[in-house]
Amino acid sequence: RQGPWTPPDLELVDEKATSLHEGVRGADALIVCCPLTEKTRGVVNRELMRGNGRPLHLVNVARGGVVDMDAVIEGLESGSLGGFAADVFPQEPFLSRVDDPTNEASGIGPLLRLQKKGLNVFLTPHLGGVTDASYGSMARMFSDNVLAFFGEQRFTGESEDSRWWERPEDGAVVVPPPKDWQR
């Protein structure tokens, strides 16, 4: 048992895979969060989705080019993908063209059509992590950098407000852990 949130009948699988395909086989979900390099471009492809043996739920928060979007559309249509969520796309921004209301030029038009058909598709235009708290933190880091540049203060990489999640006065929601988690 791994913790109080783990059902008692759930087993921890601790096996080493020799490839990404082997590691994903049988998984319920794959969350992609890696840089886009020549080695990772298109690494989440048809073979990976088809070889899973069960419908895979795919979440891409990495870079758009890591996932083969044609394979995503094919997987959703065939059922080898049980769902797709993304905050990144091969071409961004994707909702900015007044002359292309169907978003065909950006390549997400087919995903929007599948979403309208009721398939499990969730798309955000590269702003899934944008919150009041994250903007506040970015503004504080930016001002710290500017002040450090002009010699007003030494930049340490952390401001006194960098632990915003612990500051309810900044709008953060502080949720204490359940009592049975505390030792």
Side-chain angles (χ1 to χ4, degrees):
R1 194 165 170 175
Q2 299 305 305
W5 59 89
T6 308
D9 61 340
L10 187 68
E11 290 183 40
L12 175 65
V13 177
D14 186 18
E15 298 174 2
K16 304 290 185 246
T18 59
S19 71
L20 176 62
H21 292 253
E22 185 181 314
V24 172
R25 190 172 299 122
D28 293 320
L30 173 62
I31 300 171
V32 183
C33 43
C34 63
L36 177 61
T37 67
E38 285 311 308
K39 287 185 178 181
T40 62
R41 183 176 304 280
V43 71
V44 180
N45 54 29
R46 283 177 179 84
E47 292 74 33
L48 184 82
M49 291 178 220
R50 285 184 191 148
N52 190 45
R54 59 198 287 174
L56 180 69
H57 290 80
L58 178 62
V59 179
N60 186 12
V61 294
R63 292 287 178 247
V66 174
V67 174
D68 178 346
M69 296 303 282
D70 290 334
V72 167
I73 293 163
E74 182 182 300
L76 287 165
E77 289 173 335
S78 72
S80 62
L81 265 186
F84 177 68
D87 190 47
V88 292
F89 303 91
Q91 182 180 336
E92 294 180 0
F94 70 78
L95 292 176
S96 64
R97 295 193 48 189
V98 175
D99 63 328
D100 183 25
T102 63
N103 288 292
E104 291 301 321
S106 66
I108 67 146
L111 285 172
L112 293 174
R113 281 194 294 281
L114 292 173
Q115 186 181 47
K116 286 179 184 177
K117 285 182 176 179
L119 274 81
N120 196 10
V121 177
F122 183 79
L123 310 172
T124 58
H126 208 142
L127 54 73
V130 175
T131 64
D132 289 341
S134 68
Y135 270 155
S137 180
M138 285 186 271
R140 281 190 290 276
M141 285 189 285
F142 172 78
S143 61
D144 285 351
N145 281 330
V146 170
L147 290 171
F149 177 79
F150 288 107
E152 297 294 320
Q153 73 183 44
R154 192 173 141 267
F155 179 66
T156 63
E158 268 196 39
S159 70
E160 65 183 50
D161 291 332
S162 64
R163 295 180 64 86
W164 55 266
W165 59 87
E166 294 177 353
R167 296 178 51 102
E169 63 271 19
D170 287 342
V173 177
V174 177
V175 180
K179 290 192 186 325
D180 60 342
W181 286 18
Q182 299 169 3
R183 294 177 193 247

